[in-house]
Amino acid sequence: MRWQSALAIYFLFWSFSVFLVLPFGVRTAHEAGADLIPGQAESAPHEFRPGRIALWTTLVATILFVLYYLNYSNGWLTIDMLDWTKPGS
């Protein structure tokens, strides 16, 4: 695999990992014991920490990418193994 392809695939893992990481550790103003700002939704996060989210996203994406690359290199799971439509599978 070329390094450009690996970088593009890592970027995809990173982008999808953001959506996995975002909901964890979020506290609303009510849960934090703070007052709502006028016009603020009750479900809005009390504190937004982009650095923490980026760190956790990078960690999750790196783990997923390493697993993907090991599978790509070692052929643990192939398309033929997932094709249940073939007779005799």
Side-chain angles (χ1 to χ4, degrees), residues 62-79:
T62 302
I63 290 169
L64 292 174
F65 179 77
V66 166
L67 289 172
Y68 165 78
Y69 190 77
L70 287 173
N71 182 58
Y72 177 81
S73 299
N74 297 323
W76 295 331
L77 188 63
T78 63
I79 297 295

Side-chain angles (χ1 to χ4, degrees), residues 18-81:
V18 168
F19 295 105
L20 293 173
V21 170
L22 272 176
F24 294 101
V26 175
R27 295 178 60 198
T28 62
H30 178 71
E31 293 170 337
D35 293 329
L36 287 176
I37 298 169
Q40 177 182 1
E42 292 181 14
S43 60
H46 172 65
E47 218 174 12
F48 179 65
R49 298 180 179 169
R52 183 177 178 191
I53 292 170
L55 178 68
W56 278 106
T57 301
T58 302
L59 180 67
V60 169
T62 302
I63 290 169
L64 292 174
F65 179 77
V66 166
L67 289 172
Y68 165 78
Y69 190 77
L70 287 173
N71 182 58
Y72 177 81
S73 299
N74 297 323
W76 295 331
L77 188 63
T78 63
I79 297 295
D80 293 334
M81 293 177 190

